[in-house]
Amino acid sequence: MGAEIQITFVENVDSRNTEAEKADTALLSRAELENVYRFHKSFPEYEETPLHELGELARHMGVGNILVKDESYRFGLNAFKVLGGSYAIARYIAQVLGLSNDEMTFDMLKSEEVRARLGDVTFVTATDGNHGRGVAWAASQLGQKSVVFMPKGSSQIRLENIKKEGAQASILDVNYDDAVRFATQYADDNKGIFVQDTAWDGYEEIPTWIMQGYTTLAQEALEQMQAKAIHKPTHIFLQAGVGSFASSVLGYFADIFKEDRPVCAILEPDQAACIYESARLGDGQPHAVKGDLNTIMAGLACGEPSTISWWILRDYADLYASCSDAVAELGMRVLGNPLRGDSQIISGESGAVGMGFLKAVMEDVRYESIKEKLNLNADSVILIISTEGDTDADHYRKVVW
């Protein structure tokens, strides 16, 4: 704490300017995702998470409205990641057993008939915390096993939360990207099913299902906005690790609104800014960043972009920003200590960077150019996704208290 707020950015100046030249978003279309939404609604624990309007904060900052989707309520797991892991596991089981998407409900997949036909399966993943907990929870709910590996520096609290969901879990002495490689090899050696939210050549089907799973929160958010007579947000701020979450939400809105899609900024930790670096280099290709990826934004501490996500982020985002940890800390404090009349939102390190970015851009003269390039003004309706609650409660208190 106490470190200076630092934001560097690059605009999207890619040459693919026409819609025909851009990456296809059909995998994130409303028609494709009807089954995703229906599947999540089949869980007994399903409830849509809140969409808060921070009207007082919007007036304070001089914008039209600030909407925050609070994923700390998702399935009692304090983070959104379970949406992707649960849907990918379900699609895998359905594919193995030849079940149609219409048959793919929680009750069906949990049934003794399915268990008898499928046998015992072990799902394997690497995680900074939330994805692994979601995979462990989904596997346990469906009567299956899970093995979860975490990179060095991972929170002991997050590790224990994963173990509480029934997983065999451990922290490795390597960074996130090497933990992914370790988990891949473990799955191969032990006949496990690798469930990872990043893609590379030859491993794209399960990451695609995970991306599709994430869109439930985007579908909820749009329905909640339209119930408030808000047609769409003018701006979306999306945090990125490998890019799967950001591309799923951006791709969903791009597919619906086409050329009239919201202005989008992609936000990353400055020590793990692989999407920003890929955009900065300007050759249209994804690029990795190396090192320990040391940031408090543990869920975003990833050095290698997901291949299927990069093309969407390259073609549809408007600005890419690299943010110091102090930006996330600022967002945590703003959300946790609201103006009178606004809702309090408990947002963890990876969840709060969008709010920290907004506050810095609107109030710090150093970032006036970002405000101008994003055209943030009194008519702006800004959507921020708080992707996690206090998943490391001790660290949350150190920052906010």
Side-chain angles (χ1 to χ4, degrees):
M1 287 181 59
E4 186 179 3
I5 290 171
Q6 293 286 349
I7 299 171
T8 57
F9 74 96
V10 59
E11 289 184 273
N12 188 344
V13 293
D14 196 274
S15 60
R16 283 162 286 273
N17 293 320
T18 69
E19 294 302 305
E21 293 177 302
K22 295 183 185 296
D24 188 2
T25 58
L27 64 94
L28 299 168
S29 70
R30 256 184 167 169
E32 179 70 26
L33 300 174
E34 285 180 4
N35 286 316
V36 180
Y37 207 7
R38 181 188 52 76
F39 169 71
H40 284 137
K41 287 181 174 180
S42 76
F43 277 74
E45 298 86 355
Y46 175 79
E47 290 183 10
E48 66 178 23
T49 55
L51 182 72
H52 300 287
E53 285 190 85
L54 303 184
E56 294 302 318
L57 184 61
R59 278 186 281 276
H60 175 77
M61 290 187 179
V63 297
N65 207 344
I66 299 172
L67 307 168
V68 181
K69 182 73 166 160
D70 185 357
E71 286 296 301
S72 68
Y73 290 89
R74 185 65 66 185
F75 288 175
L77 296 173
N78 213 9
F80 82 103
K81 284 280 192 175
V82 65
L83 293 172
S86 64
Y87 184 68
I89 287 173
R91 283 293 300 265
Y92 168 79
I93 293 173
Q95 185 180 80
V96 169
L97 299 183
L99 301 174
S100 69
N101 285 340
D102 290 339
E103 295 176 286
M104 200 178 73
T105 65
F106 174 81
D107 286 340
M108 167 59 79
L109 297 180
K110 194 176 181 179
S111 68
E112 288 301 320
E113 175 190 353
V114 166
R115 289 270 294 116
R117 291 176 60 193
L118 185 67
D120 292 330
V121 179
T122 299
F123 295 98
V124 180
T125 193
T127 183
D128 292 294
N130 296 334
H131 171 69
R133 188 178 184 187
V135 167
W137 180 85
S140 176
Q141 290 287 307
L142 299 175
Q144 300 296 346
K145 299 175 183 177
S146 60
V147 177
V148 179
F149 297 103
M150 303 181 73
K152 63 181 176 182
S154 293
S155 161
Q156 192 68 29
I157 292 175
R158 293 189 178 109
L159 174 66
E160 293 305 318
N161 283 336
I162 291 170
K163 288 182 175 180
K164 287 176 184 176
E165 303 300 340
Q168 174 187 323
S170 58
I171 298 175
L172 306 175
D173 190 29
V174 296
N175 70 16
Y176 171 81
D177 299 302
D178 287 334
V180 170
R181 283 182 270 275
F182 185 93
T184 307
Q185 190 62 53
Y186 179 93
D188 289 343
D189 293 344
N190 293 274
K191 298 181 179 179
I193 304 304
F194 186 55
V195 181
Q196 200 62 41
D197 56 348
T198 188
W200 53 84
D201 289 343
Y203 183 73
E204 296 181 331
E205 186 173 52
I206 285 177
T208 297
W209 292 339
I210 289 174
M211 283 175 58
Q212 291 174 331
Y214 292 157
T215 60
T216 284
L217 70 86
Q219 295 182 79
E220 287 179 1
L222 186 58
E223 288 180 0
Q224 289 167 313
M225 279 184 270
Q226 294 178 344
K228 299 174 184 287
I230 301 169
H231 173 58
K232 69 175 180 67
T234 61
H235 296 75
I236 307 178
F237 297 160
L238 297 169
Q239 53 271 58
V242 298
S244 294
F245 158 73
S247 62
S248 69
V249 177
L250 176 54
Y252 174 82
F253 279 94
D255 189 80
I256 292 173
F257 294 107
K258 311 302 181 187
E259 295 92 335
D260 192 36
R261 63 184 174 272
V263 174
C264 181
I266 303 300
L267 315 176
E268 295 174 280
D270 57 8
Q271 298 301 304
C274 57
I275 305 299
Y276 163 85
E277 187 64 14
S278 299
R280 188 189 67 80
L281 290 171
D283 62 3
Q285 298 301 309
H287 293 273
V289 297
K290 303 297 183 182
D292 289 340
L293 313 176
N294 186 25
T295 171
I296 64 168
M297 293 175 261
L300 311 179
C302 311
E304 299 178 16
S306 171
T307 51
I308 54 177
S309 300
W310 162 246
W311 311 119
I312 293 173
L313 298 178
R314 180 196 66 182
D315 291 354
Y316 294 97
D318 298 282
L319 183 141
Y320 313 86
S322 168
C323 304
S324 65
D325 282 350
V327 177
E329 292 176 337
L330 173 62
M332 293 165 71
R333 290 192 287 271
V334 171
L335 291 169
N337 300 274
L339 295 173
R340 189 180 299 276
D342 284 348
S343 299
Q344 181 190 42
I345 300 168
I346 306 300
S347 184
E349 299 84 355
S350 298
V353 64
M355 178 55 72
F357 175 81
L358 175 62
K359 189 172 192 303
V361 166
M362 295 304 297
E363 299 182 358
D364 191 327
V365 294
R366 293 178 298 164
Y367 306 119
E368 186 73 24
S369 62
I370 299 178
K371 177 181 173 181
E372 292 174 356
K373 291 179 186 304
L374 292 176
N375 194 26
L376 289 165
N377 55 48
D379 296 322
S380 299
V381 177
I382 301 141
L383 175 62
I384 293 170
I385 315 293
S386 177
T387 50
E388 65 174 2
D390 54 346
T391 53
D392 184 339
D394 289 346
H395 188 263
Y396 177 85
R397 284 192 291 274
K398 287 178 182 177
V399 172
V400 175
W401 286 8

